[in-house]
Amino acid sequence: MGLKHPKGPKHNAKEIRIDPIFAQEGFRSIPRCSMPEKEMSPDLAYQIVHDELMLDGNARLNLATFVGTWMEPQAQKLASETFDKNMIDKDEYPQTAELEMRCVSILSHLWNSPDPDNSTGCSTTGSSEAAMLGGLAMKRRWQHKRKAGGKPIDNPNIVMGINVQVCWEKFANYWDVEMRLVPMEGNRFHLSAEEAIKLCDENTIGVIAILGSTFDGSYEPVKEICGALDKFHEKTGIDIPVHVDAASGGMIAPFLDQDLIWDFRLQRVASINTSGHKYGLVYPGVGWVVWRDAKMLPEDLIFYVNYLGSNMPTFALNFSRPGSQIILQYYNFLRLGFDGYTKVQGYAREVAMYLSKEIENLGPFELITRGDELPVFAFKLRDSVKNFSVFDVSNKMRERGWLIPAYTFPANRTDLAALRIVVRRGLSQDLADLFLDDLKRQLPILQSQPEPVHDEKSGSGFHH
Ligand SMILES: *Cc1c(COP(=O)(O)O)cnc(C)c1O
């Protein structure tokens, strides 16, 4: 199948016909998938592209994604002023490089690194790239340690819950690391300390703990996992680091759950990633990875690029990429400060818990989570509901433009089908009420159908 898009709309027509009113330039149609022969005016090109994109969804009604869909006009202005900056060109744009380092330092403080003023970390295109870098550093450290002990390095593995985001499966696949997944069991929908330890051995490069599972928004017990690994270390002499995938939670817990110990306060946490474009509140295209200290990032993974005549260390999968997202991240840190982030995230949690409660009160639904960790919750239909499915609910809500994913859980809970709502900046209480009104309007229609119409084959993306 290659990389062909399997689902896209069928474009049998090879040409895009141009509205006659715009056709003064002599174009009556243009080829859809090959380059037009002649140039056209920017106005006409704009109109064609703009019109085609109208069919994309309305991002504000998309309750599926974690990714930022709203920023202030001032941020938009900054973005349009800085689209041209290439973040890798540290010589040409030293101030952008400086802002990147300030953001790393801010995150190191936020995550209680032992020496935040000498922070080690970098920006990435998102948590996926950050996961690759965090994972690679773990693999390389393990290799160095094994080589130093004269032991083989041909069989590394990584331990995590089956609820990991797909980026960790990519990491394991692309970098030849055996993936050891702990399945779900009963009402345990993420990794537990006990189950993680069972899969660990001398070839384990690390354990991934997720602060905010994409399946249900729940936090994995990072502290307990670290504690169990401490005991494991004592007993076996095998010292296994933890990487926390805090794609979402890294920008929630520091503000709303200050008593929760999940970050560098735990000795065993070697590195943490987050998505700047999720609860960091930036538009798509930025993530972060921070190491506990410089020792955690093996020197032989670092490349040096020229920076004002001196050498600037970089660790990245990409080379050129936009500097504007980094600038927007810094803008948000500056603009909101600790209090501002606390207000934004606190409101998201408030709306999430309100919405989950109201949905629970409707009758046919049962909550899996309530939105009191990530402002994200999953819910299912009561077992007594036989005549419609969560996939039907998702479908019906689409009629009004709402996007809520319906999906089945992985092993050993493939029997469980759920819906999930992500509350993020821009989903106000008012919008939540409009959503509830629409759900209440659709329910009687669903309840009157004789049997389910849609099944998991019509399930929707929820991994972002
Ligand atoms: C979203 C997410 C990712 C992937 O992040 P991107 O920023 O989209 O690359 C990884 N892990 C978790 C837990 C996530 O929620």
Side-chain angles (χ1 to χ4, degrees), residues 181-196:
L181 296 176
V182 171
M184 294 180 175
E185 211 66 69
N187 286 329
R188 180 176 58 68
F189 299 119
H190 56 223
L191 189 61
S192 71
E194 194 190 351
E195 296 301 317

Side-chain angles (χ1 to χ4, degrees), residues 9-302:
K10 292 257 181 307
H11 288 309
N12 292 324
K14 284 212 157 48
E15 310 257 297
I16 300 176
R17 284 199 56 200
I18 309 285
D19 185 321
I21 216 71
F22 292 116
Q24 303 98 323
E25 293 177 32
F27 289 99
R28 300 194 42 209
S29 65
I30 50 156
R32 192 182 295 278
C33 298
S34 59
M35 193 181 278
E37 201 173 315
K38 292 199 173 71
E39 66 212 52
M40 66 178 77
S41 73
D43 284 338
L44 179 55
Y46 174 85
Q47 198 65 46
I48 292 169
V49 178
H50 177 87
D51 286 1
E52 180 121 27
L53 291 177
M54 274 190 327
L55 284 175
D56 276 348
N58 177 346
R60 289 286 292 281
L61 301 184
N62 182 349
L63 309 188
T65 186
F66 290 81
V67 172
T69 47
W70 185 85
M71 285 191 85
E72 291 164 326
Q74 290 84 348
Q76 304 204 8
K77 185 159 172 247
L78 261 181
S80 62
E81 287 166 10
T82 55
F83 280 144
D84 57 341
K85 290 185 195 286
N86 182 356
M87 65 73 66
I88 200 68
D89 194 350
K90 320 242 179 200
D91 204 16
E92 178 72 7
Y93 307 114
Q95 273 343 95
T96 303
E98 164 67 20
L99 296 191
E100 181 187 15
M101 287 298 90
R102 278 187 217 166
C103 288
V104 169
S105 175
I106 288 170
L107 290 172
S108 300
H109 277 98
L110 210 53
W111 297 338
N112 298 293
S113 105
D115 186 11
D117 295 325
N118 291 304
S119 49
T120 304
C122 57
S123 72
T124 60
T125 50
S127 279
S128 300
E129 188 190 5
M132 299 302 142
L133 302 184
L136 276 173
M138 285 197 301
K139 184 179 175 193
R140 191 60 64 88
R141 289 200 308 273
W142 172 82
Q143 287 172 330
H144 285 321
K145 208 161 73 178
R146 299 278 295 174
K147 273 189 202 156
K151 294 186 179 132
I153 55 165
D154 53 356
N155 213 4
N157 68 67
I158 186 165
V159 171
M160 46 209 190
I162 197 164
N163 54 308
V164 283
Q165 211 265 357
V166 63
C167 70
W168 290 104
E169 298 175 32
K170 281 189 193 170
F171 167 77
N173 180 331
Y174 293 175
W175 273 278
D176 284 323
V177 176
E178 180 202 342
M179 191 161 64
R180 296 195 173 165
L181 296 176
V182 171
M184 294 180 175
E185 211 66 69
N187 286 329
R188 180 176 58 68
F189 299 119
H190 56 223
L191 189 61
S192 71
E194 194 190 351
E195 296 301 317
I197 296 300
K198 286 187 196 159
L199 298 185
C200 288
D201 59 28
E202 58 175 2
N203 289 318
T204 304
I205 64 168
V207 173
I208 306 303
I210 307 167
L211 202 71
S213 171
T214 49
F215 279 89
D216 61 1
S218 64
Y219 292 164
E220 291 190 336
V222 187
K223 189 172 161 203
E224 287 70 19
I225 292 168
C226 287
L229 284 167
D230 288 344
K231 287 212 189 85
F232 184 76
H233 185 190
E234 262 168 50
K235 212 169 77 190
T236 63
I238 302 170
D239 188 5
I240 300 174
V242 167
H243 173 96
V244 184
D245 177 357
S248 299
M251 292 304 293
I252 295 286
F255 305 107
L256 302 186
D257 308 294
Q258 287 178 39
D259 295 337
L260 182 77
I261 311 282
W262 65 275
D263 54 18
F264 292 121
R265 283 169 287 181
L266 299 165
Q267 277 293 328
R268 198 160 284 282
V269 172
S271 43
I272 300 173
N273 69 270
T274 200
S275 296
H277 55 220
K278 289 184 177 173
Y279 290 100
L281 308 174
V282 179
Y283 286 132
V286 67
W288 301 94
V289 55
V290 176
W291 284 271
R292 163 173 217 89
D293 53 38
K295 288 196 298 290
M296 289 292 161
L297 180 55
E299 187 61 31
D300 54 350
L301 286 174
I302 298 172

Side-chain angles (χ1 to χ4, degrees), residues 139 156 206 235 285 434-435 460:
K139 184 179 175 193
K235 212 169 77 190
L434 292 172
F435 172 86
S460 32

Side-chain angles (χ1 to χ4, degrees), residues 375-409:
V376 169
F377 59 95
F379 53 108
K380 63 186 270 286
L381 283 167
R382 290 191 183 286
D383 294 338
S384 54
V385 177
K386 304 276 187 222
N387 60 326
F388 65 102
S389 67
V390 290
F391 306 98
D392 293 338
V393 176
S394 175
N395 228 275
K396 265 273 170 259
M397 292 306 283
R398 244 178 218 256
E399 287 176 6
R400 294 278 296 163
W402 299 104
L403 221 63
I404 46 167
Y407 51 95
T408 44
F409 275 43

